[in-house]
Amino acid sequence: MDQTPLYLQIKRFILQKIQSGEWPVGYRIPTEFELTDAFNVSRMTVNKAIRDLVAEGQLARRPRVGTFVCASEDKAESPLLDIRNIAAEVLQRGQHYSNKVIKQVALEADETVAIKLGVMLGSAVYYSEIVHYADDKPIQLELRWVNASYAPGYLEQDFTLLTPNQYLSENCPLSAIEHTVEAIVPDIHVRNSLRLSANEPCLLLNRRTWSGERLVSSALLYHPGTKYKLSSKVCV
């Protein structure tokens, strides 16, 4: 029996129709009432699926007319002013999440790493390098340095089963974030990891996180510029 939440099943159904071309750009999809009857679910469940797809740029609502398939930018989106588990983000979009752990080792902090984490030269540091995938397409290369004193169990984790973000959030509750975003020309390692073409742009998010007064983690998060965007919302 499929244990996937009902609203995600409906999202996948709609996305399959769009991606197969059966529902092309400009097509008016069935009404919420029609989908409610078809899936034998509440209208609230259908509404949740459609609202998510509108937010993701797959659908557009036209008051008193209907909901239509719109041209997709084919870009995943993450909130810039928040930290979310990338695995949960991918699954929420109705895609399959997977990753590949390239490295997971203990290091002694050199000058660059010591500055990143605010520790003394030679301090114990853990390092992980992971490529994250959505539907088997790479969407993020994550390079992360962690203060070993604050996350002693880091190297023991199986990051194919949970992400570093999830582990650190559960063991070192987030209190502050510092990050910068820039467009870069990626080096060959980043290009190969993300399967980028020679002239394809790359977004780099440089992020440091604190738990209380402790600087726990510093990460470089690389994304394909043509397939990813970062967003922010500020309430005033």
Side-chain angles (χ1 to χ4, degrees):
M1 180 180 296
D2 191 346
Q3 299 298 315
T4 305
L6 292 172
Y7 83 93
L8 284 180
Q9 294 183 38
I10 297 169
K11 280 185 67 176
R12 289 177 181 175
F13 168 80
I14 295 172
L15 284 170
Q16 287 170 358
K17 294 289 188 181
I18 294 172
Q19 293 166 357
S20 70
E22 185 175 344
W23 292 359
V25 172
Y27 180 87
R28 184 171 68 84
I29 73 169
T31 66
E32 289 187 9
F33 288 113
E34 291 170 333
L35 290 170
T36 295
D37 288 341
F39 285 90
N40 193 28
V41 296
S42 70
R43 188 178 177 189
M44 183 182 300
T45 299
V46 173
N47 182 263
K48 164 67 173 167
I50 292 177
R51 281 191 292 110
D52 281 6
L53 290 171
V54 169
E56 293 165 16
Q58 299 286 347
L59 299 176
R61 293 183 186 272
R62 297 180 189 171
R64 297 183 295 278
V65 178
T67 302
F68 295 81
V69 177
C70 59
S72 172
E73 296 180 355
D74 194 27
K75 288 189 177 183
E77 181 173 356
S78 285
L80 182 56
L81 300 181
D82 195 5
I83 292 183
R84 295 183 185 173
N85 181 4
I86 190 169
E89 282 187 27
V90 171
L91 293 172
Q92 189 176 40
R93 292 194 292 267
Q95 298 174 296
H96 171 70
Y97 170 78
S98 60
N99 69 41
K100 179 181 179 182
V101 178
I102 299 173
K103 288 184 181 179
Q104 190 173 345
V105 297
L107 303 172
E108 291 186 358
D110 60 16
E111 184 175 357
T112 300
V113 174
I115 293 173
K116 284 179 181 291
L117 287 177
V119 298
M120 298 290 291
L121 283 170
S123 296
V125 172
Y126 296 145
Y127 173 74
S128 59
E129 184 171 331
I130 301 173
V131 182
H132 301 275
Y133 300 86
D135 288 342
D136 299 321
K137 297 179 181 178
I139 59 169
Q140 184 187 95
L141 171 63
E142 172 189 341
L143 312 184
R144 186 180 296 272
W145 294 263
V146 176
N147 189 320
S149 298
Y150 301 148
Y154 193 79
L155 288 188
E156 301 167 11
Q157 306 309 305
D158 183 350
F159 289 130
T160 63
L161 301 179
L162 82 167
T163 64
N165 171 277
Q166 182 181 348
Y167 171 75
L168 292 173
S169 296
E170 293 173 354
N171 290 272
C172 305
L174 177 70
S175 64
I177 312 167
E178 172 191 276
H179 53 205
T180 60
V181 181
E182 58 183 320
I184 65 165
V185 177
D187 61 29
I188 190 168
H189 176 62
V190 174
R191 287 207 311 269
N192 289 342
S193 297
L194 293 176
R195 302 176 194 164
L196 302 177
S197 60
N199 298 316
E200 190 169 351
C202 181
L203 286 177
L204 170 60
L205 174 60
N206 190 332
R207 172 180 287 160
R208 297 200 297 173
T209 55
W210 280 260
S211 182
E213 298 299 319
R214 304 177 303 177
L215 175 51
V216 175
S217 171
S218 177
L220 298 178
L221 308 173
Y222 298 87
H223 307 86
T226 57
K227 298 182 178 66
Y228 216 87
K229 60 183 177 180
L230 299 164
S231 65
S232 66
K233 179 180 180 181
V234 179
C235 297
V236 296

